[in-house]
Amino acid sequence: MSMSRTLVRSHVRAQKAKLFLTASTSRAQSGSVASTGPAASQTPPSPIPPPPQPQGKWRHFLQTLGRVTLVTIVGASATFYYIAQKERHPGPQLPFDPSKKTLVILGSGWGATSLLKGLDTSDYNTIVVSPKNFFLFTPLLPSVAVGTLNARSILQPTRYVTRHKSRQVLVIEAEAKEVDPVNKTVTLSDDSEIQGQISSTTIPYDYLVYAVGAETQTFGIPGVREHACFMKELHDAEKMQRRFLDCVESAAFPGQSDEEKDRLLHMVVVGGGPTGIELSGELRDFLEEDLKSWYPELASRIRITLVEALPSVLPSFSKELIAYTERTFKESDIDILTKTMVKKVNEKSVLLKGPDGVEREVPCGMVVWAAGNTARQISRDLMAKLPEDQTNKRGIAVDDYLRMKGARDIFAIGDCTASSYAPTAQVASQQGSYLARVFKLIAKKDNLQADLTHAETGEEAEKLKKQVDKVKLKPFHYSHQGSLAYIGSDKAIADLPIFGREWTSGGVATFMFWRSAYLSTLFSLRNRSLVAGDWIRVKLWGR
């Protein structure tokens, strides 16, 4: 009985739900029909939502720029890593070949290193002899002297260059003592602090590249070698840095008199060429950007004096750039003494003779000598063995093909020669690249002549002879790419030949060009990365 009542109630609820849904549907339909009638005009229309805005051009540009930037960063990072790993892990090399001729290179400077980079070592058994086992980027040496750059940043190990050649290159860290042009031998000696049982030997050569450079010219002035700092090798820059900081610390010693402080903080730079100018500018930057914060009580006493015997500094630059440099130095409180000669360098002073002919003693804490080059002793000894051909006392005389006069198997390049070109890194670098091409042609000619001696028929011999005659050497031609110099205060000067005309520029923009040009001239990605990193470090944290 109870179950039947439950079924009846369920049926009644279902019927009521069905009637409610039917009524709701009828009201919705009637409302829809009523909205189309006259009364609909009195009802305010509902607001229409705005259509979606199309994507703006600026947003599209930013998205595209972001994608391109991301791809560029990833691609550049991958390329950088690949090149770095390739430079660090070179492949296998060919061993020495007894059938090949021996090429001996003396030196590891601009000329020798440029030759090594361009030389096809598969044509020769190559030997490099140098008292230092690295290449030094000398234009940036003044930056090392004041701590702008780390010394390792401008060094390129010679074995790094030779390890990436096709055939093995023997690198010997030793100093050449004698060259015998008759017997074609080189005697060398290990003069380092640590030596083995054998420290001297003699090696033969078929071709010799003489690139030993030059040493600093003192003009016989007393006291220069004993008391002055040079600016030619790495140890010179490190010595000057230590001595300069010693002068500052000694001036800061308690109880030091004002007169003694002024003496210790007076720096004299001798030589108005690019090296002397850049060193003076770097010293000024060190003073303004760092020393004024470290030694505020001494910074105002530091003086820099540039001494030049000629009527003006930078004689190889245009008059406009010389005047601009002098104005910049005057604004930086750097004294320039032209037409002034150094007569003597003492421990605590320098004796100067001005344009008026009067000699006066100038107290100073340090003298940096950056004036002139002279031939090394080994070069003078070699020239003495060929007195009829080597008559120039400035250096080794060479012909148009950079062959040493009187010795056809010796090629001389760089500062050790007495040519019509200035003793600059640019000249030596182009001479080295030229010799790399010359030795390629010489190897080709030697191979053809060897085949000619083994020719079996007259027709084959005649053909080879014609090929030998076609191999001709072109004389060396120097192409001047311009001159650059840093003058301090984030300014540089440039004298560049553009489309046959001399283009001169100076200022901050030229300084940026100077930096980019030196970065591109460095020999490896490693050096470029280290130098750029040092420049950033100095801007952020100082020297």
Side-chain angles (χ1 to χ4, degrees), residues 225-276:
R225 293 197 178 276
E226 292 81 6
H227 305 299
C229 295
F230 297 147
M231 193 52 55
K232 195 170 185 65
E233 299 293 344
L234 181 61
H235 59 82
D236 296 331
E238 294 174 339
K239 178 182 177 181
M240 188 214 123
Q241 185 182 101
R242 292 193 303 269
R243 185 172 294 187
F244 176 71
L245 293 178
D246 282 346
C247 288
V248 178
E249 292 292 354
S250 297
F253 196 82
Q256 209 73 268
S257 66
D258 291 342
E259 183 180 358
E260 184 66 5
K261 289 180 181 178
D262 292 337
R263 181 192 73 80
L264 288 168
L265 298 178
H266 184 202
M267 311 301 163
V268 177
V269 180
V270 181
T275 301

CSV table of all heavy atoms in Angstrom, one decimal, residues 225-276:
chain,number,residue,atom,x,y,z
A,225,ARG,N,120.6,54.3,-19.2
A,225,ARG,CA,120.4,52.9,-19.0
A,225,ARG,C,120.4,52.6,-17.5
A,225,ARG,O,119.7,51.6,-17.0
A,225,ARG,CB,121.6,52.1,-19.6
A,225,ARG,CG,121.5,52.1,-21.1
A,225,ARG,CD,122.4,51.0,-21.8
A,225,ARG,NE,122.3,51.0,-23.2
A,225,ARG,CZ,121.3,50.5,-23.9
A,225,ARG,NH1,120.4,49.8,-23.3
A,225,ARG,NH2,121.4,50.5,-25.2
A,226,GLU,N,121.1,53.4,-16.7
A,226,GLU,CA,121.1,53.1,-15.2
A,226,GLU,C,119.8,53.6,-14.5
A,226,GLU,O,119.4,52.9,-13.6
A,226,GLU,CB,122.3,53.8,-14.6
A,226,GLU,CG,123.7,53.2,-15.1
A,226,GLU,CD,124.1,53.7,-16.4
A,226,GLU,OE1,123.4,54.6,-17.0
A,226,GLU,OE2,125.1,53.3,-16.9
A,227,HIS,N,119.3,54.7,-14.9
A,227,HIS,CA,118.2,55.3,-14.1
A,227,HIS,C,116.9,55.5,-14.8
A,227,HIS,O,115.9,55.7,-14.2
A,227,HIS,CB,118.7,56.7,-13.7
A,227,HIS,CG,120.0,56.7,-12.9
A,227,HIS,ND1,120.2,56.0,-11.7
A,227,HIS,CD2,121.2,57.3,-13.2
A,227,HIS,CE1,121.4,56.2,-11.3
A,227,HIS,NE2,122.0,57.0,-12.2
A,228,ALA,N,116.8,55.3,-16.2
A,228,ALA,CA,115.5,55.5,-16.9
A,228,ALA,C,114.8,54.2,-17.1
A,228,ALA,O,115.4,53.1,-17.1
A,228,ALA,CB,115.8,56.2,-18.2
A,229,CYS,N,113.5,54.3,-17.3
A,229,CYS,CA,112.7,53.1,-17.7
A,229,CYS,C,112.5,53.2,-19.2
A,229,CYS,O,112.2,54.3,-19.7
A,229,CYS,CB,111.3,53.2,-17.0
A,229,CYS,SG,111.4,53.0,-15.2
A,230,PHE,N,112.6,52.0,-19.9
A,230,PHE,CA,112.3,52.0,-21.3
A,230,PHE,C,110.8,51.6,-21.5
A,230,PHE,O,110.1,51.2,-20.5
A,230,PHE,CB,113.2,51.0,-22.0
A,230,PHE,CG,114.7,51.4,-21.9
A,230,PHE,CD1,115.7,50.5,-21.9
A,230,PHE,CD2,115.0,52.8,-21.9
A,230,PHE,CE1,117.0,50.9,-21.8
A,230,PHE,CE2,116.4,53.2,-21.8
A,230,PHE,CZ,117.4,52.2,-21.8
A,231,MET,N,110.4,51.6,-22.7
A,231,MET,CA,109.0,51.2,-23.1
A,231,MET,C,109.0,50.5,-24.4
A,231,MET,O,108.5,50.9,-25.4
A,231,MET,CB,108.1,52.5,-23.2
A,231,MET,CG,106.6,52.2,-23.2
A,231,MET,SD,106.0,51.1,-21.9
A,231,MET,CE,106.6,52.0,-20.4
A,232,LYS,N,109.7,49.3,-24.4
A,232,LYS,CA,109.9,48.5,-25.6
A,232,LYS,C,109.4,47.0,-25.4
A,232,LYS,O,108.9,46.4,-26.3
A,232,LYS,CB,111.3,48.5,-26.1
A,232,LYS,CG,111.5,48.0,-27.5
A,232,LYS,CD,112.9,48.4,-28.0
A,232,LYS,CE,113.0,48.0,-29.4
A,232,LYS,NZ,112.2,48.8,-30.3
A,233,GLU,N,109.7,46.5,-24.2
A,233,GLU,CA,109.4,45.1,-23.9
A,233,GLU,C,108.4,45.0,-22.7
A,233,GLU,O,108.2,46.0,-22.1
A,233,GLU,CB,110.6,44.3,-23.6
A,233,GLU,CG,111.6,44.2,-24.7
A,233,GLU,CD,111.1,43.5,-26.0
A,233,GLU,OE1,110.1,42.7,-25.8
A,233,GLU,OE2,111.7,43.6,-27.0
A,234,LEU,N,107.9,43.8,-22.5
A,234,LEU,CA,106.9,43.7,-21.4
A,234,LEU,C,107.5,44.0,-20.0
A,234,LEU,O,106.9,44.6,-19.2
A,234,LEU,CB,106.4,42.2,-21.4
A,234,LEU,CG,105.3,41.9,-20.4
A,234,LEU,CD1,104.1,42.8,-20.6
A,234,LEU,CD2,105.0,40.4,-20.5
A,235,HIS,N,108.7,43.5,-19.8
A,235,HIS,CA,109.3,43.8,-18.5
A,235,HIS,C,109.6,45.3,-18.3
A,235,HIS,O,109.6,45.8,-17.2
A,235,HIS,CB,110.6,43.0,-18.3
A,235,HIS,CG,111.7,43.3,-19.4
A,235,HIS,ND1,112.5,44.4,-19.3
A,235,HIS,CD2,112.0,42.7,-20.5
A,235,HIS,CE1,113.3,44.4,-20.3
A,235,HIS,NE2,113.0,43.4,-21.1
A,236,ASP,N,109.7,46.1,-19.4
A,236,ASP,CA,109.8,47.5,-19.3
A,236,ASP,C,108.6,48.1,-18.7
A,236,ASP,O,108.6,49.0,-17.8
A,236,ASP,CB,110.2,48.2,-20.6
A,236,ASP,CG,111.5,47.7,-21.2
A,236,ASP,OD1,112.4,47.4,-20.3
A,236,ASP,OD2,111.7,47.7,-22.4
A,237,ALA,N,107.4,47.7,-19.2
A,237,ALA,CA,106.1,48.2,-18.8
A,237,ALA,C,105.9,47.9,-17.3
A,237,ALA,O,105.4,48.7,-16.5
A,237,ALA,CB,105.0,47.7,-19.7
A,238,GLU,N,106.2,46.6,-17.0
A,238,GLU,CA,106.0,46.2,-15.6
A,238,GLU,C,106.9,46.9,-14.6
A,238,GLU,O,106.6,47.3,-13.5
A,238,GLU,CB,106.2,44.7,-15.5
A,238,GLU,CG,105.2,43.9,-16.3
A,238,GLU,CD,105.5,42.4,-16.3
A,238,GLU,OE1,106.7,42.0,-16.1
A,238,GLU,OE2,104.6,41.6,-16.5
A,239,LYS,N,108.2,47.2,-15.1
A,239,LYS,CA,109.1,47.9,-14.2
A,239,LYS,C,108.6,49.3,-14.0
A,239,LYS,O,108.7,49.9,-12.9
A,239,LYS,CB,110.5,47.9,-14.9
A,239,LYS,CG,111.5,48.7,-14.2
A,239,LYS,CD,112.9,48.7,-14.9
A,239,LYS,CE,113.9,49.6,-14.2
A,239,LYS,NZ,115.2,49.6,-15.0
A,240,MET,N,108.1,50.0,-15.1
A,240,MET,CA,107.6,51.4,-14.9
A,240,MET,C,106.4,51.4,-14.0
A,240,MET,O,106.3,52.3,-13.2
A,240,MET,CB,107.2,51.9,-16.3
A,240,MET,CG,106.9,53.4,-16.3
A,240,MET,SD,105.6,53.8,-17.5
A,240,MET,CE,104.4,54.5,-16.4
A,241,GLN,N,105.5,50.4,-14.1
A,241,GLN,CA,104.4,50.4,-13.2
A,241,GLN,C,104.8,50.3,-11.8
A,241,GLN,O,104.2,51.1,-10.9
A,241,GLN,CB,103.5,49.2,-13.6
A,241,GLN,CG,102.1,49.2,-12.8
A,241,GLN,CD,101.3,48.0,-13.2
A,241,GLN,OE1,101.3,47.0,-12.5
A,241,GLN,NE2,100.7,48.0,-14.3
A,242,ARG,N,105.7,49.4,-11.4
A,242,ARG,CA,106.2,49.3,-10.1
A,242,ARG,C,106.9,50.6,-9.6
A,242,ARG,O,106.6,51.1,-8.5
A,242,ARG,CB,107.2,48.1,-10.0
A,242,ARG,CG,106.6,46.8,-10.1
A,242,ARG,CD,107.5,45.7,-9.7
A,242,ARG,NE,108.8,45.8,-10.4
A,242,ARG,CZ,109.0,45.1,-11.5
A,242,ARG,NH1,108.1,44.4,-12.1
A,242,ARG,NH2,110.2,45.2,-12.1
A,243,ARG,N,107.7,51.2,-10.4
A,243,ARG,CA,108.4,52.4,-10.0
A,243,ARG,C,107.5,53.6,-9.8
A,243,ARG,O,107.7,54.4,-8.9
A,243,ARG,CB,109.5,52.7,-11.1
A,243,ARG,CG,110.4,53.9,-10.7
A,243,ARG,CD,111.6,54.1,-11.6
A,243,ARG,NE,112.5,53.0,-11.5
A,243,ARG,CZ,113.7,52.9,-12.1
A,243,ARG,NH1,114.0,54.0,-12.9
A,243,ARG,NH2,114.5,51.9,-12.0
A,244,PHE,N,106.5,53.7,-10.7
A,244,PHE,CA,105.5,54.8,-10.6
A,244,PHE,C,104.8,54.7,-9.3
A,244,PHE,O,104.6,55.7,-8.5
A,244,PHE,CB,104.6,54.8,-11.8
A,244,PHE,CG,103.5,55.8,-11.7
A,244,PHE,CD1,103.8,57.1,-11.9
A,244,PHE,CD2,102.2,55.4,-11.4
A,244,PHE,CE1,102.8,58.1,-11.8
A,244,PHE,CE2,101.2,56.4,-11.3
A,244,PHE,CZ,101.5,57.7,-11.5
A,245,LEU,N,104.3,53.5,-8.9
A,245,LEU,CA,103.5,53.3,-7.7
A,245,LEU,C,104.5,53.5,-6.5
A,245,LEU,O,104.0,54.0,-5.4
A,245,LEU,CB,102.9,51.9,-7.7
A,245,LEU,CG,101.7,51.7,-8.7
A,245,LEU,CD1,101.2,50.3,-8.6
A,245,LEU,CD2,100.6,52.8,-8.4
A,246,ASP,N,105.7,53.1,-6.6
A,246,ASP,CA,106.7,53.3,-5.5
A,246,ASP,C,106.9,54.8,-5.3
A,246,ASP,O,107.0,55.3,-4.1
A,246,ASP,CB,108.0,52.7,-5.8
A,246,ASP,CG,108.0,51.2,-5.6
A,246,ASP,OD1,107.1,50.7,-5.0
A,246,ASP,OD2,108.9,50.5,-6.1
A,247,CYS,N,106.9,55.6,-6.3
A,247,CYS,CA,107.0,57.0,-6.2
A,247,CYS,C,105.8,57.6,-5.4
A,247,CYS,O,106.0,58.5,-4.5
A,247,CYS,CB,107.2,57.7,-7.5
A,247,CYS,SG,108.7,57.5,-8.4
A,248,VAL,N,104.6,57.2,-5.8
A,248,VAL,CA,103.5,57.7,-5.1
A,248,VAL,C,103.4,57.3,-3.6
A,248,VAL,O,103.1,58.1,-2.7
A,248,VAL,CB,102.2,57.2,-5.8
A,248,VAL,CG1,100.9,57.7,-5.1
A,248,VAL,CG2,102.2,57.7,-7.3
A,249,GLU,N,103.8,56.0,-3.3
A,249,GLU,CA,103.8,55.6,-1.9
A,249,GLU,C,104.8,56.2,-1.1
A,249,GLU,O,104.6,56.5,0.1
A,249,GLU,CB,103.9,54.0,-1.9
A,249,GLU,CG,102.7,53.2,-2.5
A,249,GLU,CD,101.5,53.4,-1.6
A,249,GLU,OE1,101.6,54.0,-0.5
A,249,GLU,OE2,100.4,52.9,-2.0
A,250,SER,N,106.0,56.5,-1.7
A,250,SER,CA,107.1,57.2,-1.0
A,250,SER,C,106.7,58.6,-0.7
A,250,SER,O,107.0,59.1,0.4
A,250,SER,CB,108.4,57.1,-1.8
A,250,SER,OG,108.8,55.8,-2.0
A,251,ALA,N,105.9,59.2,-1.6
A,251,ALA,CA,105.5,60.6,-1.4
A,251,ALA,C,104.4,60.6,-0.2
A,251,ALA,O,104.3,61.6,0.5
A,251,ALA,CB,104.9,61.2,-2.6
A,252,ALA,N,103.7,59.5,-0.1
A,252,ALA,CA,102.7,59.4,1.0
A,252,ALA,C,103.3,59.0,2.3
A,252,ALA,O,102.5,59.0,3.3
A,252,ALA,CB,101.6,58.4,0.6
A,253,PHE,N,104.6,58.8,2.4
A,253,PHE,CA,105.2,58.4,3.7
A,253,PHE,C,105.1,59.6,4.7
A,253,PHE,O,105.4,60.7,4.3
A,253,PHE,CB,106.7,58.0,3.4
A,253,PHE,CG,107.3,57.3,4.5
A,253,PHE,CD1,107.1,55.9,4.7
A,253,PHE,CD2,108.1,57.9,5.5
A,253,PHE,CE1,107.6,55.2,5.7
A,253,PHE,CE2,108.6,57.2,6.5
A,253,PHE,CZ,108.4,55.9,6.7
A,254,PRO,N,104.8,59.3,5.9
A,254,PRO,CA,104.7,60.4,6.9
A,254,PRO,C,105.9,61.2,7.1
A,254,PRO,O,107.1,60.7,7.1
A,254,PRO,CB,104.3,59.6,8.2
A,254,PRO,CG,103.8,58.3,7.8
A,254,PRO,CD,104.5,58.0,6.5
A,255,GLY,N,105.7,62.5,7.2
A,255,GLY,CA,106.9,63.4,7.4
A,255,GLY,C,107.6,63.8,6.2
A,255,GLY,O,108.6,64.6,6.3
A,256,GLN,N,107.2,63.4,5.0
A,256,GLN,CA,107.8,63.8,3.7
A,256,GLN,C,107.6,65.3,3.5
A,256,GLN,O,106.5,65.8,3.6
A,256,GLN,CB,107.3,63.0,2.6
A,256,GLN,CG,108.2,62.8,1.4
A,256,GLN,CD,109.3,61.7,1.8
A,256,GLN,OE1,110.4,62.1,2.2
A,256,GLN,NE2,109.0,60.5,1.6
A,257,SER,N,108.7,66.0,3.1
A,257,SER,CA,108.6,67.4,2.9
A,257,SER,C,107.8,67.7,1.6
A,257,SER,O,107.8,66.8,0.7
A,257,SER,CB,110.0,68.0,2.8
A,257,SER,OG,110.7,67.6,1.7
A,258,ASP,N,107.3,68.9,1.5
A,258,ASP,CA,106.6,69.3,0.2
A,258,ASP,C,107.5,69.3,-1.0
A,258,ASP,O,107.1,68.9,-2.1
A,258,ASP,CB,105.9,70.7,0.4
A,258,ASP,CG,104.8,70.7,1.4
A,258,ASP,OD1,104.3,69.5,1.7
A,258,ASP,OD2,104.4,71.7,1.9
A,259,GLU,N,108.7,69.7,-0.8
A,259,GLU,CA,109.7,69.7,-1.9
A,259,GLU,C,109.9,68.3,-2.4
A,259,GLU,O,110.0,68.0,-3.6
A,259,GLU,CB,110.9,70.4,-1.5
A,259,GLU,CG,112.0,70.5,-2.6
A,259,GLU,CD,113.3,71.2,-2.1
A,259,GLU,OE1,113.3,71.6,-0.9
A,259,GLU,OE2,114.2,71.3,-2.9
A,260,GLU,N,110.1,67.4,-1.5
A,260,GLU,CA,110.4,66.0,-1.8
A,260,GLU,C,109.2,65.3,-2.5
A,260,GLU,O,109.3,64.5,-3.4
A,260,GLU,CB,110.8,65.2,-0.6
A,260,GLU,CG,111.2,63.7,-0.9
A,260,GLU,CD,112.5,63.6,-1.8
A,260,GLU,OE1,113.1,64.7,-2.1
A,260,GLU,OE2,112.8,62.5,-2.1
A,261,LYS,N,108.0,65.7,-2.0
A,261,LYS,CA,106.7,65.1,-2.6
A,261,LYS,C,106.6,65.6,-4.1
A,261,LYS,O,106.3,64.8,-4.9
A,261,LYS,CB,105.5,65.6,-1.8
A,261,LYS,CG,105.3,65.0,-0.5
A,261,LYS,CD,104.1,65.5,0.2
A,261,LYS,CE,103.9,64.9,1.6
A,261,LYS,NZ,102.7,65.5,2.3
A,262,ASP,N,106.9,66.9,-4.3
A,262,ASP,CA,106.9,67.4,-5.7
A,262,ASP,C,107.9,66.7,-6.6
A,262,ASP,O,107.6,66.4,-7.7
A,262,ASP,CB,107.1,68.9,-5.7
A,262,ASP,CG,106.0,69.7,-5.0
A,262,ASP,OD1,104.9,69.1,-5.0
A,262,ASP,OD2,106.2,70.8,-4.6
A,263,ARG,N,109.0,66.4,-6.0
A,263,ARG,CA,110.0,65.7,-6.8
A,263,ARG,C,109.6,64.2,-7.2
A,263,ARG,O,109.7,63.8,-8.3
A,263,ARG,CB,111.4,65.6,-6.1
A,263,ARG,CG,112.5,64.9,-6.9
A,263,ARG,CD,113.7,64.6,-6.0
A,263,ARG,NE,113.5,63.5,-5.1
A,263,ARG,CZ,113.5,62.2,-5.4
A,263,ARG,NH1,113.7,61.9,-6.7
A,263,ARG,NH2,113.3,61.3,-4.5
A,264,LEU,N,109.1,63.5,-6.1
A,264,LEU,CA,108.7,62.1,-6.3
A,264,LEU,C,107.6,62.0,-7.3
A,264,LEU,O,107.5,61.0,-8.0
A,264,LEU,CB,108.4,61.5,-5.0
A,264,LEU,CG,109.5,61.2,-4.1
A,264,LEU,CD1,109.0,60.9,-2.7
A,264,LEU,CD2,110.4,60.0,-4.6
A,265,LEU,N,106.7,63.0,-7.3
A,265,LEU,CA,105.5,62.9,-8.1
A,265,LEU,C,105.6,63.7,-9.5
A,265,LEU,O,104.6,63.9,-10.2
A,265,LEU,CB,104.3,63.5,-7.4
A,265,LEU,CG,104.0,62.8,-6.1
A,265,LEU,CD1,102.8,63.5,-5.3
A,265,LEU,CD2,103.6,61.4,-6.3
A,266,HIS,N,106.8,63.9,-9.9
A,266,HIS,CA,107.1,64.5,-11.2
A,266,HIS,C,107.6,63.4,-12.2
A,266,HIS,O,108.7,62.9,-11.9
A,266,HIS,CB,108.1,65.6,-11.1
A,266,HIS,CG,108.4,66.3,-12.4
A,266,HIS,ND1,109.5,67.1,-12.7
A,266,HIS,CD2,107.6,66.4,-13.5
A,266,HIS,CE1,109.4,67.6,-13.9
A,266,HIS,NE2,108.3,67.2,-14.4
A,267,MET,N,106.8,63.1,-13.2
A,267,MET,CA,107.1,62.1,-14.1
A,267,MET,C,107.6,62.7,-15.5
A,267,MET,O,106.8,63.5,-16.0
A,267,MET,CB,105.9,61.2,-14.4
A,267,MET,CG,105.3,60.7,-13.1
A,267,MET,SD,106.4,59.7,-12.1
A,267,MET,CE,105.6,59.8,-10.5
A,268,VAL,N,108.8,62.3,-15.9
A,268,VAL,CA,109.3,62.9,-17.2
A,268,VAL,C,109.3,61.8,-18.2
A,268,VAL,O,109.9,60.7,-18.0
A,268,VAL,CB,110.7,63.4,-17.0
A,268,VAL,CG1,111.3,63.9,-18.3
A,268,VAL,CG2,110.7,64.6,-15.9
A,269,VAL,N,108.6,62.1,-19.4
A,269,VAL,CA,108.6,61.1,-20.5
A,269,VAL,C,109.4,61.7,-21.6
A,269,VAL,O,109.2,62.9,-22.1
A,269,VAL,CB,107.2,60.9,-21.0
A,269,VAL,CG1,107.1,59.9,-22.2
A,269,VAL,CG2,106.3,60.3,-19.8
A,270,VAL,N,110.4,61.0,-22.1
A,270,VAL,CA,111.3,61.5,-23.1
A,270,VAL,C,111.0,60.8,-24.5
A,270,VAL,O,111.0,59.6,-24.6
A,270,VAL,CB,112.8,61.2,-22.8
A,270,VAL,CG1,113.7,61.8,-23.9
A,270,VAL,CG2,113.2,61.8,-21.4
A,271,GLY,N,110.6,61.6,-25.4
A,271,GLY,CA,110.2,61.1,-26.8
A,271,GLY,C,108.8,61.5,-27.1
A,271,GLY,O,107.9,61.1,-26.4
A,272,GLY,N,108.7,62.3,-28.2
A,272,GLY,CA,107.4,62.8,-28.6
A,272,GLY,C,106.7,62.0,-29.7
A,272,GLY,O,105.8,62.5,-30.4
A,273,GLY,N,107.1,60.8,-29.9
A,273,GLY,CA,106.5,59.9,-30.9
A,273,GLY,C,105.2,59.3,-30.3
A,273,GLY,O,104.8,59.7,-29.2
A,274,PRO,N,104.6,58.4,-31.1
A,274,PRO,CA,103.3,57.8,-30.6
A,274,PRO,C,103.5,57.1,-29.2
A,274,PRO,O,102.5,57.2,-28.4
A,274,PRO,CB,103.0,56.8,-31.7
A,274,PRO,CG,103.6,57.3,-32.9
A,274,PRO,CD,104.9,58.0,-32.4
A,275,THR,N,104.6,56.5,-29.0
A,275,THR,CA,104.8,55.8,-27.7
A,275,THR,C,104.8,56.8,-26.5
A,275,THR,O,104.1,56.6,-25.5
A,275,THR,CB,106.0,54.9,-27.7
A,275,THR,OG1,106.0,54.0,-28.7
A,275,THR,CG2,106.2,54.2,-26.3
A,276,GLY,N,105.6,57.8,-26.6
A,276,GLY,CA,105.6,58.8,-25.6
A,276,GLY,C,104.3,59.6,-25.4
A,276,GLY,O,103.9,59.8,-24.3
